[in-house]
Amino acid sequence: MSSLQPESSDRLSFVPDLDEAARQALQARTAEALGLPVRFRDPLDAGEAPELAVIPAGMFEMGSPEHEFGHWAGEGPQHYQQITRPFAIGVYPVTAEEFAAFTRATGWRWRPDLITSEGRHPVINIRHGEAEAYCAWLSERTGQRYRLPSEAEWEYACRAGTTTPFAFGDSVSCREVHFKASFPYEEARDNKRFYLPRCAPVAHTLPVGSYRPNTWGLHDMHGNVWEMTESNWRNSLANLPRVHPAPVGRRNKWIVVRGGSWFDAAVHARSAARRARLRDELDVNLGFRVVREL
């Protein structure tokens, strides 16, 4: 299998300038150059490795503008990011059945007091270190390098070339994203005091892939569960590295999570929304998605 060298900034496409067909064509050309299909799995002797999608190198503008409903200072300043190498990212958050292959192979056991998920639901109540242990196990078993995404990689993959609050446009409904149905986006933005939720409340995760994917074929980037990144929490985007991949740096006790969840209002599921969580935190609305280096 061939590999691609990092692209210089003058050769990187500014992905938001491309229409949807061109963004998908860029993804397909990248996969072809790597000798891979756009979506693939690495062989795994125990269970299934997560399904992955190839994400092309490119540039994008990270963060949210001040006029975006839901914007706060921690989502700025907006700035250009260079993703100089293509990478593969999970088509879905890691599921309970995928994580179960890790527990069987390693003998890792759940604490008996924790709520757990099953089947194709996202795995929950996992600490950051346990997500990293899963990535290390995948790396050992497949001979490839798995890790958590940086928050810049996560937002780049989530946006898939869009500049709107969501990859699907200026707003979303609970028929497109699994958020807390009583706290929708458009109605809150327009200050509508009285409205009927469009969906019945669902106070738990849904199976991955229940809603349509973004332009690059990724499901559940908005809603369902918050997703851990490998990035340390910073109060703003001011001092983030501008070129990726980038060193993680010295760890602190807080990490960045992205994407919102079933427990949160739609405003927290925007592409630029970010939140701090403790590195050793457990929660029923917190999961993760893997990156595989190419």
Side-chain angles (χ1 to χ4, degrees):
M1 182 171 61
S2 63
S3 61
L4 297 181
Q5 297 300 313
E7 294 282 2
S8 61
S9 59
D10 60 341
R11 295 184 60 186
L12 287 172
S13 298
F14 183 61
V15 180
D17 282 347
L18 307 177
D19 63 22
E20 185 174 26
R23 283 176 261 148
Q24 290 176 329
L26 177 63
Q27 182 183 34
R29 288 197 306 272
T30 301
E32 183 180 12
L34 289 160
L36 292 167
V38 169
R39 290 171 64 152
F40 69 97
R41 293 181 192 269
D42 285 324
L44 192 65
D45 55 0
E48 284 194 323
E51 186 175 10
L52 304 166
V54 173
I55 305 299
M59 293 179 64
F60 79 112
E61 194 168 15
M62 184 176 180
S64 64
E66 292 184 4
H67 62 77
E68 182 174 297
F69 179 71
H71 167 88
W72 65 286
E75 295 173 8
Q78 277 192 295
H79 62 278
Y80 293 107
Q81 283 279 357
Q82 299 177 31
I83 308 297
T84 62
R85 286 181 181 271
F87 60 94
I89 194 169
V91 171
Y92 313 103
V94 172
T95 65
E97 64 186 14
E98 287 166 344
F99 195 79
F102 163 76
T103 66
R104 290 191 299 268
T106 63
W108 185 90
R109 294 185 180 277
W110 295 93
R111 272 177 25 196
D113 58 321
L114 291 178
I115 295 172
T116 58
S117 56
E118 296 181 347
R120 295 291 292 166
H121 285 256
V123 67
I124 55 174
N125 268 328
I126 296 296
R127 293 184 178 89
H128 191 262
E130 293 158 349
E132 290 182 317
Y134 175 78
C135 292
W137 175 75
L138 281 178
S139 299
E140 179 185 359
R141 291 302 177 96
T142 64
Q144 304 294 336
R145 166 73 168 137
Y146 281 81
R147 57 175 173 81
L148 297 176
S150 70
E151 68 165 323
E153 290 169 333
W154 191 98
E155 185 173 329
Y156 177 67
C158 175
R159 288 188 178 279
T162 60
T163 59
T164 47
F166 303 90
F168 307 126
D170 288 322
S171 186
V172 291
S173 78
C174 50
R175 297 190 180 100
E176 298 169 294
V177 170
H178 186 28
F179 56 82
K180 196 169 188 176
S182 52
F183 293 92
Y185 187 75
E186 185 175 341
E187 289 83 350
R189 182 192 63 198
D190 297 343
N191 200 26
K192 293 182 178 179
R193 295 181 179 273
F194 302 101
Y195 57 86
L196 289 174
R198 301 182 191 180
C199 309
V202 178
H204 53 74
T205 62
L206 290 177
V208 300
S210 294
Y211 300 110
R212 67 188 174 106
N214 70 11
T215 295
W216 282 337
L218 307 179
H219 293 262
D220 303 300
M221 298 297 285
H222 302 294
N224 214 2
V225 289
W226 286 100
E227 297 181 12
M228 303 177 209
T229 71
E230 68 176 8
S231 298
N232 290 319
W233 172 256
R234 302 167 189 249
N235 290 331
S236 78
L237 304 180
N239 296 313
L240 283 185
R242 298 301 200 256
V243 179
H244 290 267
V248 177
R250 184 176 179 181
R251 293 184 173 213
N252 60 34
K253 67 179 182 178
W254 298 93
I255 59 166
V256 180
V257 297
R258 291 295 201 118
S261 82
W262 61 266
F263 185 76
D264 296 276
V267 70
H268 298 298
R270 291 172 300 114
S271 298
R274 56 197 298 268
R275 180 176 288 182
R277 300 293 280 262
L278 286 166
R279 197 173 289 276
D280 61 353
E281 189 170 344
L282 295 164
D283 209 336
V284 294
N285 68 343
L286 181 61
F288 69 101
R289 184 183 306 250
V290 298
V291 155
R292 199 267 244 179
E293 295 183 356
L294 299 174

